[in-house]
């Protein structure tokens, strides 16, 4: 049984730290291969010039890849980020940032993911990220 976007959103609301919830993330898609989240570009997330701060983008990428892992596992199983590498390519401006996360490889103890963040409505890629997650035994 796979998770629906609404089930994933409920998991997010009930289990993630308040400062991550303050990003205003919405889970628009989740499947066994990945997840898509959107984040509104608000004054609270911007630095000088209305550009989304890198910390918000990195947190969004990590969260999106965690939900990609949940989608692959078909449950909100604990995962621990062991490595997160974010590349900032251009300033993130506009209305929202969309993050498409996918599972690259899943083993028994480790899962590898990547994410692409796109500013909307320009549809320009603003950042990419990769992560490794440890999956504790059930």
């Amino acid at each position: 049984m796979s998770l629906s976007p609404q089930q994933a959103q409920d998991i997010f609301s009930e289990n993630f730290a308040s400062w991550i919830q303050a990003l205003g993330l919405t889970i628009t898609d989740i499947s066994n291969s990945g997840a898509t989240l959107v984040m509104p570009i608000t004054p609270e997330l911007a630095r000088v010039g209305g550009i989304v701060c890198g910390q918000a983008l990195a947190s969004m990428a990590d969260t999106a890849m965690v939900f990609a892992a949940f989608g692959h596992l078909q449950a909100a199983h604990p995962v621990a980020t062991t490595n997160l590498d974010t590349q900032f390519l251009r300033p993130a401006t506009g209305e929202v940032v969309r993050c498409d996360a996918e599972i690259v490889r899943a083993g028994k103890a480790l899962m590898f993911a990547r994410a692409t963040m796109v500013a909307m409505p320009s549809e320009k890629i603003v950042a990419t990220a990769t992560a490794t997650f440890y999956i504790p035994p059930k």
Side-chain angles (χ1 to χ4, degrees), residues 25-72:
L25 301 173
T26 300
I27 300 152
T28 60
D29 190 42
I30 187 165
S31 69
N32 65 347
S33 61
T36 299
L37 280 66
V38 294
M39 177 176 67
I41 296 176
T42 63
E44 293 79 16
L45 301 180
R47 60 179 181 80
V48 174
I51 298 166
V52 177
C53 69
Q55 297 91 331
L57 292 172
S59 296
M60 178 190 203
D62 186 51
T63 304
M65 290 184 282
V66 165
F67 276 95
F70 290 172
H72 181 80

Side-chain angles (χ1 to χ4, degrees), residues 96-109:
V96 299
V97 175
R98 185 187 75 231
C99 184
D100 300 308
E102 64 180 321
I103 299 304
V104 176
R105 182 179 180 285
K108 291 183 181 186

